[in-house]
Amino acid sequence: MNEQDRPQSGGDGDDIPIDGILPPDGKRLEPTTSGFRPWHKPRKQHVRRAWACNVRKLMESIHVPAGSKPLFRYLTLPGEDMLDVMSLKDSCEEGGFRLHYLGFNASKDESPEEQRLTLAHHQMKNQGWVDEHSHIAKERLENITARRDSIAYKTARDHGPYHAVNIDLCGNIASHATDDSRGTCLDALLKIIQLQTDLAQSNWLLFIATRVKKEQIAEKYLKAFVDAIRQNAEGSPAFAEALNNLFTTHETATEPALLAPMQLPDRAFKDLFCVGLSKWLLHCLQTARPAHGLRMLRSYYFSVCGGEPDMLSLVFRVERSESRAVDPTKIVDCALPPPKDINVEQMSLGIIKKTTGLVDLDAMLRGDTLLHDSLIKETAELLKEAHYDVTDYPGWAYDQLSG
Amino acid sequence: MPDSETSLIDPALLLMEEMASVRETGDSIIAKLSVDDRVLARVTDGIYRRPSAAFRELVFNAYDADATRVVITTDAPRFDRVSILDNGSGMTQHAVASLIKHIGGSSKRTYAGIGLGTVNPDNPDNSPAGRPLIGKIGIGLFAVVHLTTYFRIITKRKGDDFRLVIDVRMQTHSEERLRTHRPGADGKERFDTGDVELRYVSASDIDAHGTEIILMELRRATKDMLRDADRWKLIMEAESEETALRRPERPKYHMGYCGDDDAAQYIVEPQVPWQEGADPTERFAQLCDRVIDSKDTTSQSTDLREIFDQYLEMLWRLSLAAPLQYLDEHPFDFRSNSELDFFKLSNKKPGGVIPVNLPSGRTLADEFALKSMRQDPCGGFSVVIDCVELRRPVRLQSELLGDKKRVRAKRPMLFVGQCESPLGNYASDRGGGALEFEAYFYWNNLIVPKQNRGVLIRVHGASGALYDESFMDYKVSELTRLRQLTAEVFILSGMDPALNIDRESFNISHPHYQYLTAWIHRAILQITNHLKDIGKRGIDREKAERKERAENDLDRHINAVWEMRGDGMEGGATVLLIPQESRQQEIQLRSDGNMVFQLDPDQLKAAKASDVKTGIPSPGEQAKALMSVLAAYRLLIEMPYTTQQALFNDIIEILLIGRRG
């Protein structure tokens, strides 16, 4: 209530709470801002390209019954302009899928971000390739973690299972809870994995963008990641060797790296974090019935504010073990071969391989002007759709690269 | 911006000028929402009784805008925010300016609406695509004031390269503010009822069209109502007190309860009436199945209030109100194989219902050239709310839902009527214009749910009042029969002028209402007479059947006795009763091999009277049977006729004891 609206003297009946009876006061809306933000940099567009490309590939492997109108179900944490959703347009149209998204975004009512998000969501629902029942839940992702009866979890379950889950964070996925009553992002991710392994009938994609700054990571999670690596290294000489090779590139060795991870240089810590998180995810997925595996795909890193790289953009495909029936008596000649089990060791080695091959996006764009230009063009198109004045965008984008 | 109150130019046109100037700059306009009339200023503050009315009005608006699809999304169970998205034609800039400056300015149903793109150029009573308009004075949008004072409209027309985004904040109505108001320089009164911020945003999806209304910061009372908060509080209070005397029941199906606005968890987990993963249409069908399944016994119908929370009940109300397709088929699409008995209602006094035998393959609509099922010019209309696609929840079942033993009708009945009133022949300022309608009345010995009992009047496919259980105040005491009827009246023309502006009631003094009431009451009279007739015929038939059954039993027994004891004459002797003093006849009948006994007229009358309730044979039949049995046992051989007659008289006297007078 504005000061000038406040009554000068109280009336009778003060026991009745007035707040629930009065409508909210009519404060003026703030004009929206349209300055460019870190996720408008061309390198993020490259990440979006990777997402879209993997989505398209997955679509090819999804069985679509004849005559049905397939939906591609996508769980995301959209920004105010929903650029990640927008960038799936071509994949959906070419793949013949309509996109059904569930977004978690807790921006406050009447904030400029919320206004932009509302408009973006409205535009998306009007697109022919987007399912009209797509939904933005005004919730934090972490709300999913509250026991089984959380509203956010119910919402996620109602709209799932998903073909792709995009946990695109600004902060660290393994950080502490923001307050005692909430879970962490990692808790939320596990909950989503449980939902997926419970309901999904096919392989699905998992995109994770996370900061890797040491000071943001919760000790218990770092320990869990290190334990997951150590356990694998102890049980698999091939993994131990590959891991040692990885650390050798950072002029250290496995044992000291696992004993004192916080002492590692930032680049080495990034790789340890990547392997540790991926191994932890693989461990979790292995426990599902039927067992699931995790295949790490080409992934990226970059520096948010210049300096040492501190952001990972990881791409995974979660693979459901084959569950085909076989003929144990072998009396049928044309029977298909028995289903293959998840090859955990091969997947673990794949994690090391892809971590070793993580792409430095900043360096790649500095070295490839053509790519950089095409990303600027694509991003400008997206931003235009999102109502930005893109006249100054190319200049801004080049400045970011040099910075 | 010039001060609209001192301007002689239409303030909507001034606003349009300003809109044109900011379109290029991307700035926003701040304006006052105003109405031209004191009454409308009051009306825009809210006139409805339930939150579902707001949803209903927005759905009607979308229908009038030629939408084929409306998608409503809430954040149940919190209900902080609601979005209503349609794919209608969207609002022109002029229509937006007019909405802001002349709420209730009647662009619909007027030639002004042609310029605003809200009506058909050839017929202002129709939408641009030709749908008969549901709305008439343009206040439907402001039904949302019941839910919130703050809402956002995003609208786009096909071909436009921009969207209009309008944020509206309504003010609370105050008589004091109206009292102190002064007319403008032009002498016209305008009343500000809210604040508006309007801006343009560019759009590259040129072909897209439609409107989204986003209701934000829902009022506390509205949220509590949608959450069914009072009920859940009572339930939980009672459940926590072991000694509570009265324990309110939990609704069987509900969306769950979370208590406070920012709660992250359910206090009560949802129990929805559909299966997880069911598609939107299946969900609604399953919801309706649960309603039928939930009737307790064959005598107790389902009460929606008991099995649903307020939100689910709202879905039901909304699905009845909107011009949607039926869950199954339209009753006028029923064919001869529908396993219902069909009748035609008469418009003539004292006519009665006429049985209808539909030729194979023909529908009721074909048979009677019914017009209320005409094709939608836009190709259909559907409403989806939180992934549940609504259909008209009217299922006219082909089997009896109540106790079959308690009714004489063998199956449900459908009565069809159509009427073109003579009111159109009078001057419209007397008769109110033409009134034409079609109707059906469906009888079943149990109507499920309770809320579907009564008559529902659809004007242009829509209904705000829903079922009137009193059948427009039908005075004759027919409580049981009225509870067994559900009816819909489809207005083809007229009735609109009799509809009050809240659309939930009628002006009962209007000639259209009066005429329709009389017609409905006459229809009910025909139906109840038919039901009574069925009852009476049923009773007579049952009596005759009982009598016949008893007599057959008697014959069977006598034949068996004769077979065991008789002299080989199959079936034994025929026993006949004749009036006294028919000597010649007696001789003749005896000579034909019959046993003949005489009775005086009083005896004969009493002997023939059977007990219609029990079906026990008459004393005469019993006495004849006894004589036949005695003959089979050869006890009458050599007994003179006079002694046989005396024996018969004694037997009949015994059997008649207590039966005379």
Side-chain angles (χ1 to χ4, degrees), chain B residues 533-544:
Chain B
D533 195 37
I534 289 178
K536 188 174 175 307
R537 275 188 278 127
I539 290 169
D540 291 347
R541 190 175 58 244
E542 285 160 21
K543 282 178 194 170

Side-chain angles (χ1 to χ4, degrees), chain A residues 20 24 26 29 109-110 114-115 118 122 125 132-133 135 139 146-147 149 151 154 157 385 387, chain B residues 69 73 78 81 150 152 163 167 169 197 199 202 204 212 214 217 220 264-266 269-270 276 384:
Chain A
L29 295 168
D109 271 356
E110 297 191 52
E114 187 275 337
Q115 285 189 46
T118 305
H122 168 86
K125 285 189 291 183
E132 62 200 1
H133 302 304
H135 182 60
E139 301 253 16
R147 301 194 308 270
D149 52 2
I151 296 166
K154 173 81 170 51
R157 200 175 163 92
E385 287 288 311
H387 313 295
Chain B
R69 190 127 174 110
T73 311
R78 293 196 188 96
R81 168 182 278 236
Y150 177 31
R152 179 172 301 153
R163 284 185 165 80
D167 281 318
R169 247 188 212 287
E197 180 179 350
R199 64 183 187 278
S202 59
S204 59
E212 182 170 16
I214 303 158
E217 297 176 5
R220 157 65 51 200
Q265 293 174 23
Y266 287 102
E269 282 203 57
E276 192 178 48
V384 185

